[in-house]
Amino acid sequence: MKARVLIRPKAGILDPQGVAVEQALPALGFSGISEVRVGRMVELEIEDESQLDALCQKLLANTLIEDYEVVSVS
Amino acid sequence: MKARVLIRPKAGILDPQGVAVEQALPALGFSGISEVRVGRMVELEIEDESQLDALCQKLLANTLIEDYEVVSVS
């Protein structure tokens, strides 16, 4: 199956990339945009999807500061 | 509205992060995982969603080497 893992900074954890995006918005003419959070997305083909949770915890996400969410993709 | 933007390397563009993940898998005991591609995810609150496409092209994605996809999140 094809799986997609979404990884985002936990609530309350500083997200410097998101701050940088927000600060760049006015100079580019954008307004009304807030709560910007930048995370990662990993897409992969996996034969045994029961491995996915361990994969996220051991390799893809830093669970101290990041939450992850697994989405199956058709 | 809350929007989610998924940004991934275009097909055919080298993805060193994805290669690094694939190479780390055997040492961690994982098998049967392939086609790993690492991209970015940006989540934000936007008042005027018609700005989203311009935002992606001007700031969030490098459209020379990346594709983006906008997903609305309830």
Side-chain angles (χ1 to χ4, degrees):
Chain A
M1 66 171 282
K2 185 173 178 183
R4 178 182 296 160
V5 181
L6 304 178
I7 301 158
R8 53 175 74 81
K10 280 185 199 259
I13 295 282
L14 189 66
D15 172 21
Q17 287 184 90
V19 173
V21 169
E22 283 196 36
Q23 290 178 346
L25 292 170
L28 291 169
F30 295 104
S31 61
I33 297 171
S34 60
E35 308 281 333
V36 181
R37 303 286 278 175
V38 178
R40 293 195 306 286
M41 172 189 62
V42 182
E43 290 180 327
L44 45 79
E45 278 286 335
I46 186 165
E47 287 170 16
D48 173 12
E49 54 189 294
S50 69
Q51 291 187 317
L52 261 176
D53 217 53
L55 177 68
C56 292
Q57 295 193 26
K58 284 192 189 170
L59 184 60
L60 300 183
N62 177 350
T63 55
L64 280 174
I65 58 169
E66 293 170 329
D67 287 324
Y68 64 88
E69 176 186 352
V70 175
V71 186
S72 76
V73 185
S74 54
Chain B
M1 65 172 281
K2 185 173 179 184
R4 178 182 294 159
V5 180
L6 304 178
I7 300 158
R8 53 175 73 80
K10 280 185 198 258
I13 296 283
L14 190 66
D15 172 22
Q17 285 183 91
V19 173
V21 168
E22 284 196 36
Q23 289 178 347
L25 292 169
L28 291 169
F30 295 105
S31 61
I33 297 170
S34 60
E35 308 281 334
V36 181
R37 303 286 278 176
V38 178
R40 294 195 307 286
M41 172 189 62
V42 182
E43 290 179 328
L44 45 80
E45 277 287 333
I46 186 164
E47 287 171 16
D48 173 11
E49 54 189 294
S50 68
Q51 291 187 315
L52 261 176
D53 217 54
L55 177 68
C56 292
Q57 295 193 24
K58 283 191 188 169
L59 185 60
L60 300 183
N62 176 350
T63 54
L64 280 176
I65 58 170
E66 293 170 330
D67 287 324
Y68 65 88
E69 175 187 353
V70 175
V71 186
S72 76
V73 185
S74 56

